[in-house]
Amino acid sequence: MRHVISLLIENESGALSRVSGLFSARGYNIESLTVAPTEDASMSRMTIVTTGSDDIIEQITKQLNKLVEVIKVVDISESAHIERELMLIKVRATGKDRDEMKRMADIFRARIIDVTEASYVIELTGNQGKLDAFVAAIGNELILETVRSGICGVGRGDRVLKV
Amino acid sequence: MVLSGAEIVIRCLQEEKVEYVFGYPGGAVLFLYDALFNQDQVRHVLVRHEQAAVHAADGYARSTQSVGVALVTSGPGATNAVTGIATAYCDSVPMVIISGQVPTAAIGQDAFQEVDTVGITRPCVKHNFLVRDVKDIAPTIKKAFHLARTGRPGPVLVDIPKDVSMHKCEFSYPDKVEMRSYNPVVKGHQGQIRKAVQLLLEAKRPMIYTGGGVILSDAAEQLTKLTRLLGFPITNTLMGLGAYPASDRQYLGMPGMHGTYEANMSMHFCDVLLAIGARFDDRVIGNPDHFAEEPRKIIHVDIDPSSISKRVKVDLPIVGNVRDVLDEMISQIEAANARPNQEALGAWWKQVEEWRSRDCMKFKNSDEIIKPQYVVQKLWEVTGGDAFVTSDVGQHQMWAAQYYRFDKPRRWLNSGGLGTMGVGLPYAMGAQLAHPDAQVACVTGEASIQMCIQELSTCKQFRLPIKICNLNNRYLGMVRQWQQLFHGGRYSESYMDSLPDFAKLAESYGHVGIRVERPSDVEGALREAFSRKNDLVFLDFQVDQTENVYPMVQGGKGLTEMILSAEDL
Ligand SMILES: Cc1cc2nc3c(=O)[nH]c(=O)nc-3n(C[C@H](O)[C@H](O)[C@H](O)COP(=O)(O)OP(=O)(O)OC[C@H]3O[C@@H](n4cnc5c(N)ncnc54)[C@H](O)[C@@H]3O)c2cc1C
Ligand SMILES: Cc1ncc(C[n+]2csc(CCOP(=O)(O)OP(=O)(O)O)c2C)c(N)n1
Ligand SMILES: [Mg+2]
């Protein structure tokens, strides 16, 4: 099962490698990991997308909690939550593809943020599925580069992850 | 008071009441050694290899209730220390390791004797720090000791660049630590404890299984009280030996791969298992699927939530410090004035006694050749069962665990989790320094002892009257046993050729060496050794080369599928 784990961690050098080292040492999957400081610069917020059986997910959250610099851990995918990912995708845009690319961007509510004679850079946010659909719709032949941020997640409504 | 970083480190150690630092100097720690030189409160033990520094500090910690401290230089000093650190980590031993680092400006430049010590040790420490500013030294060391000894204990490393140890700042030692990210639970959940007590009182076939956590939390007294109050059978893991007196009738011996028949059968067939500070290691429960076949309710007391339901599903978790949880259990039972189901308990004991009557620890003694088990039995007799016993790793370790009956905690020092050959002598050094008047024996093998043999020199310098009992079988015995049983008797590289004459070797270091070849000389040699109060004596027992450790649960097999003796093969 796919899970989205959010955590608050002291914003100290080496903290990220403690988390990623934990995953590799214990053989847990990481699908994506994003991290950046919060409004309180002494803390970072991390979103980890992982897969595993219930037992493994239980161990992952326990092991994360055990890291001395980790302040809080929540599996936000256990209830209603929002996920977003940012993608920058550079596509070939010449001849008839140029209009087609523009049309696709509109359909997906993406934005073209850089234009040259031969290419566009398109910016798109959404959940993972939407981004995957966009990539599929464009097709690999026309894609020059894709850059994805990995997922950020937050619980809906009253559920707040804070110290 | 303005002090240099190095002076601050030593002042911090003084504040922490550190008695001994085990270490080895080098370029990156020269200022620290200078600061050590100028005081005499913290004593330094100069070992002959950094691995031994960490092991000795670890042995000191295991035999006392305090944090062990080691000091090593950058680069090779730090890498030599890694085995020691990992060993302590696997057995949750509280330690602080201070390592020198190249100057801050040189970090990342492939400087002389530079390694990424924090990176290398990250997976085998509870936590580690690189101190970049002299002002951070005191708060960091304060945190390091706090982390090492609280919660699930473990080694903490503090890496200090040379320039940081040279810079100066005002010194004051913080009197408390606040870390929003670190607050281990101490008291167990009252409601959970109540449910556990209920389950225990209603049990028909109860069993208590305890481990290193009881020793680490200094709760042997509470454990003994609770066990007597309930009247249940009890087993202690290899890491928990001595937490409950081995000479008591309720004690069934060690569980697991080389545990007793009665302990393993009781673990398997009980209906309520009370696990306390033990982590259901694969060497203890064998095949987890086989273990799960028999239905039973499991109560698990552990301070580390990640130990609970890791390998075996637990019905009633209690997160907390063993000592506090047991105090609470005892007071609830006493307050309720309740007793377990006596009739059921009587029937269960009858079954347990039947298992015990198999006498699985018996062995065939000999007049011709020294049996290793016999040496340990005699060691127990000669020392009145009251010595600190350290061991290395292999068959001799198992015989020491099986035949030396520990009645007190912190008397048995060995590497259970990592299984590190070479710990025996340095552990004995740490224990002897901590308990100068106690009898300290190191039960070792001719292979293991050679992994830290250089420490005989340290023992001479610090006059440590350790008694080394070398069960010399001229084999990597434990490896040979597996090769005999599981690899068709192909003894690939498991013989120990070209051995030194250990007695003469010990003599050349200035110690006493005795070679013992006949069973009839065993006891006399031991008595002679222990009567020499001021000498290190190296007893080189030439033991039966073909002896195996039984009982044995093979890897992958269930706990009840034991080989009890050579006749079972
Ligand atoms: C050659 C060889 C053979 C072996 N054979 C056997 C064998 O036959 N039988 C056997 O038992 N072992 C054997 N071992 C040892 C085995 O590998 C494990 O090291 C050992 O079983 C683990 O012991 P433990 O479960 O007591 O856990 P430990 O490693 O001692 O862990 C302690 C547990 O207690 C918890 N804890 C720590 N402090 C506290 C506290 N204050 N309060 C609450 N909880 C706390 C920790 O979180 C942890 O879960 C063998 C090792 C070797 C090298
Ligand atoms: C550092 C290290 N290397 C290898 C091993 C694997 N090993 C486990 S027991 C053993 C043999 C130990 O031989 P010895 O010390 O003579 O003890 P014996 O089993 O003969 O009593 C070996 C090589 C280990 N545990 N530690
Ligand atoms: Mg041997």
Side-chain angles (χ1 to χ4, degrees):
Chain A
M1 262 272 279
R2 176 177 176 280
H3 288 253
V4 182
I5 292 170
S6 282
L7 57 96
L8 289 172
I9 186 166
E10 296 291 350
N11 187 5
E12 275 167 27
S13 70
L16 172 61
S17 50
R18 286 185 211 280
V19 173
S20 60
L22 169 73
F23 275 76
S24 60
R26 295 188 182 267
Y28 305 142
N29 294 316
I30 298 189
E31 214 168 87
S32 76
L33 186 158
T34 64
V35 58
T38 64
E39 75 283 2
D40 170 354
S42 70
M43 263 187 296
S44 293
R45 166 105 176 209
M46 209 178 268
T47 309
I48 303 169
V49 180
T50 182
T51 51
S53 64
D54 289 352
D55 290 349
I56 288 179
I57 301 296
E58 183 181 331
Q59 267 298 313
I60 290 177
T61 53
K62 284 175 169 178
Q63 293 291 349
L64 285 169
N65 261 312
K66 197 166 143 179
L67 292 177
V68 167
E69 284 160 341
V70 169
I71 304 164
K72 265 193 178 162
V73 181
V74 182
D75 181 350
I76 60 167
S77 52
E78 275 185 341
S79 56
H81 69 285
I82 300 161
E83 290 176 26
R84 286 292 180 274
E85 185 172 11
L86 167 70
M87 174 164 68
L88 300 177
I89 181 163
K90 189 182 284 180
V91 295
R92 192 172 292 132
T94 49
K96 68 170 177 24
D97 292 335
R98 224 169 152 82
D99 278 352
E100 180 59 14
M101 284 301 142
K102 174 85 179 66
R103 218 170 54 81
M104 290 297 263
D106 288 343
I107 293 171
F108 279 83
R109 297 189 191 195
R111 296 195 302 151
I112 297 173
I113 56 173
D114 185 55
V115 179
T116 69
E117 271 165 32
S119 70
Y120 287 153
V121 174
I122 301 171
E123 172 195 322
L124 176 60
T125 47
N127 61 25
Q128 223 174 350
K130 176 173 167 184
L131 269 49
D132 291 344
F134 186 68
V135 171
I138 289 187
N140 283 356
E141 322 78 76
L142 294 179
I143 296 176
L144 298 170
E145 275 179 68
T146 52
V147 189
R148 293 172 69 151
S149 63
I151 278 164
C152 285
V154 72
R156 281 192 186 272
D158 294 341
R159 298 175 69 233
V160 174
L161 174 58
K162 218 173 161 62
V163 280
Chain B
M1 200 189 335
V2 174
L3 297 176
S4 73
E7 288 163 336
I8 291 174
V9 171
I10 305 307
R11 281 299 304 274
C12 293
L13 299 182
Q14 293 173 350
E15 294 284 338
E16 291 290 343
K17 307 269 184 296
V18 173
E19 197 184 6
Y20 288 106
V21 171
F22 299 84
Y24 208 89
V29 286
L30 279 172
F31 290 106
L32 285 161
Y33 273 84
D34 215 23
L36 266 175
F37 191 76
N38 291 321
Q39 54 87 54
D40 50 18
Q41 192 175 330
V42 177
R43 282 179 285 176
H44 182 271
V45 177
L46 178 68
V47 294
R48 303 304 189 252
H49 188 301
E50 288 88 349
Q51 180 184 346
V54 184
H55 288 329
D58 174 345
Y60 180 91
R62 287 179 202 240
S63 74
T64 59
Q65 211 183 318
S66 37
V67 178
V69 181
L71 171 59
V72 298
T73 191
S74 68
T79 53
N80 272 351
V82 169
T83 299
I85 297 171
T87 303
Y89 180 70
C90 291
D91 291 339
S92 307
V93 179
M95 292 195 61
V96 170
I97 300 96
I98 294 169
S99 53
Q101 183 52 279
V102 301
T104 7
I107 291 179
Q109 310 272 326
D110 300 323
F112 175 64
Q113 295 197 327
E114 178 185 1
V115 294
D116 174 11
T117 304
V118 163
I120 288 175
T121 56
R122 191 175 291 129
C124 59
V125 290
K126 177 165 175 183
H127 197 59
N128 58 18
F129 300 92
L130 172 63
V131 185
R132 292 175 177 275
D133 188 329
V134 64
K135 290 201 280 304
D136 295 334
I137 290 181
T140 305
I141 294 184
K142 179 81 191 177
K143 275 187 197 167
F145 275 88
H146 177 68
L147 289 169
R149 67 162 76 93
T150 56
R152 179 175 183 167
V156 178
L157 178 134
V158 182
D159 201 24
I160 305 178
K162 186 166 185 177
D163 56 323
V164 175
S165 71
M166 186 186 71
H167 293 153
K168 292 189 153 80
C169 81
E170 182 69 30
F171 171 71
S172 75
Y173 200 57
D175 45 33
K176 62 174 191 294
V177 182
E178 269 178 50
M179 297 174 81
R180 60 180 167 185
S181 63
Y182 177 77
N183 295 297
V185 178
V186 175
K187 294 246 176 287
H189 188 279
Q190 284 258 349
Q192 291 288 92
I193 297 177
R194 187 160 308 122
K195 279 192 222 158
V197 166
Q198 198 59 35
L199 212 54
L200 290 169
L201 293 175
E202 287 165 5
K204 295 204 164 59
R205 301 187 308 280
M207 177 70 180
I208 303 175
Y209 148 60
T210 84
V214 179
I215 312 258
L216 290 163
S217 129
D218 273 305
E221 202 182 303
Q222 281 80 353
L223 177 69
T224 306
K225 188 162 178 197
L226 178 74
T227 306
R228 299 229 164 107
L229 201 59
L230 291 168
F232 295 172
I234 179 170
T235 177
N236 296 161
T237 68
L238 184 73
M239 297 314 297
L241 298 180
Y244 188 85
S247 52
D248 190 85
R249 197 190 68 91
Q250 278 170 257
Y251 183 65
L252 303 189
M254 183 171 83
M257 178 175 277
H258 296 298
T260 65
Y261 183 69
E262 52 271 31
N264 285 346
M265 295 300 277
S266 306
M267 287 276 287
H268 194 79
F269 291 108
C270 64
D271 69 340
V272 175
L273 183 65
L274 173 60
I276 308 171
R279 56 187 174 81
F280 291 94
D281 187 80
D282 47 301
R283 296 230 150 171
V284 171
I285 56 152
N287 181 337
D289 296 330
H290 180 271
F291 188 67
E293 277 168 17
E294 199 65 26
R296 66 178 89 67
K297 290 263 184 265
I298 300 179
I299 304 164
H300 193 176
V301 182
D302 204 292
I303 202 157
D304 178 359
S306 77
S307 279
I308 299 178
S309 288
K310 179 166 64 179
R311 305 193 63 250
V312 165
K313 200 85 197 140
V314 166
D315 302 280
L316 220 156
I318 301 173
V319 177
N321 184 31
V322 167
R323 193 134 71 132
D324 295 80
V325 174
L326 295 193
D327 274 336
E328 178 62 26
M329 278 189 177
I330 292 168
S331 67
Q332 285 194 16
I333 295 172
E334 285 179 338
N337 202 6
R339 293 187 74 202
N341 181 335
Q342 294 302 306
E343 197 182 325
L345 193 56
W348 174 232
W349 266 113
K350 210 168 144 233
Q351 171 65 75
V352 173
E353 291 300 352
E354 197 182 307
W355 287 327
R356 176 144 60 188
S357 69
R358 295 279 292 259
D359 195 11
C360 66
M361 284 299 160
K362 66 172 180 283
F363 64 94
K364 268 205 210 85
N365 210 355
S366 154
D367 298 335
E368 250 98 82
I369 188 156
I370 301 176
K371 291 286 179 178
Q373 301 94 322
Y374 174 71
V375 177
V376 179
Q377 276 184 341
K378 284 288 159 197
L379 175 66
W380 179 78
E381 267 176 49
V382 168
T383 55
D386 201 29
F388 286 83
V389 178
T390 75
S391 86
D392 271 296
V393 174
Q395 293 182 315
H396 62 272
Q397 175 191 20
M398 292 299 109
W399 287 316
Q402 292 173 331
Y403 293 93
Y404 199 98
R405 303 208 296 276
F406 294 92
D407 282 342
K408 293 182 190 157
R410 298 196 181 278
R411 291 299 169 110
W412 164 240
L413 283 63
N414 84 135
S415 165
L418 198 64
T420 308
M421 289 169 68
V423 297
L425 183 53
Y427 277 0
M429 289 160 46
Q432 189 78 76
L433 282 161
H435 309 275
D437 299 325
Q439 311 178 80
V440 177
C442 165
V443 177
T444 184
E446 78 298 330
S448 291
I449 190 69
Q450 293 190 77
M451 288 213 179
C452 272
I453 192 99
Q454 76 285 347
E455 297 309 317
L456 284 173
S457 171
T458 313
C459 292
K460 186 66 193 169
Q461 184 180 345
F462 292 87
R463 301 199 170 84
L464 303 177
I466 295 161
K467 311 301 179 237
I468 299 174
C469 302
N470 187 28
L471 303 184
N472 189 342
N473 53 11
R474 282 81 79 206
Y475 267 113
L476 301 174
M478 188 55 95
V479 174
R480 188 202 51 71
Q481 174 167 347
W482 284 56
Q483 289 173 334
Q484 181 192 341
L485 300 181
F486 316 122
H487 295 275
R490 291 178 296 282
Y491 299 130
S492 178
E493 305 299 322
S494 56
Y495 51 88
M496 276 274 109
D497 208 334
S498 309
L499 285 169
D501 179 332
F502 286 104
K504 286 214 183 101
L505 183 67
E507 279 164 16
S508 84
Y509 277 103
H511 302 302
V512 177
I514 305 175
R515 184 180 165 98
V516 188
E517 292 176 344
R518 285 195 308 264
S520 54
D521 293 338
V522 169
E523 183 170 345
L526 281 166
R527 291 206 185 276
E528 154 85 18
F530 281 94
S531 70
R532 290 176 168 268
K533 295 270 181 271
N534 299 318
D535 294 317
L536 183 150
V537 182
F538 196 119
L539 294 160
D540 187 19
F541 295 102
Q542 308 300 306
V543 302
D544 188 348
Q545 291 190 272
T546 60
E547 193 60 46
N548 285 339
V549 181
Y550 297 112
M552 179 172 192
V553 179
Q554 293 179 44
K557 287 273 162 108
L559 254 193
T560 56
E561 300 165 323
M562 274 167 280
I563 308 172
L564 287 185
S565 66
E567 284 87 71
D568 277 7
L569 291 174

